[in-house]
Amino acid sequence: MAVNGDSPMPLLKKLGGLIAIILGFLITASGYRYGSTEFLTLGIVFIALGLVFLVLMIVRRNQGRHV
């Protein structure tokens, strides 16, 4: 199932990051549309969480490589 390694965790983290970013954009857009500061903040938190997941995946993948 997993390309690199025995566990499917990297794939789940990638999908989780992408889903969090998409969900964050949708929540942020609805918060902007209806003027809700809470939804805007929640959407930005989801976007940041998704970006953190994806950046950590890239950093972990490139940890053993030297440029």
Side-chain angles (χ1 to χ4, degrees):
M1 180 182 279
V3 177
N4 295 333
D6 296 326
S7 71
M9 287 305 291
L11 179 63
L12 291 176
K13 287 182 182 178
K14 282 182 198 175
L15 285 176
L18 290 175
I19 289 171
I21 290 172
I22 292 169
L23 193 64
F25 274 114
L26 291 174
I27 292 171
T28 304
S30 69
Y32 177 76
R33 169 80 167 108
Y34 296 110
S36 173
T37 307
E38 292 85 13
F39 277 119
L40 279 169
T41 305
L42 184 65
I44 291 170
V45 167
F46 269 98
I47 292 170
L49 185 67
L51 288 174
V52 166
F53 276 147
L54 293 179
V55 166
L56 286 177
M57 286 287 304
I58 293 170
V59 167
R60 231 178 265 135
R61 182 184 65 198
N62 293 334
Q63 206 170 24
R65 300 179 188 171
H66 291 77
V67 178

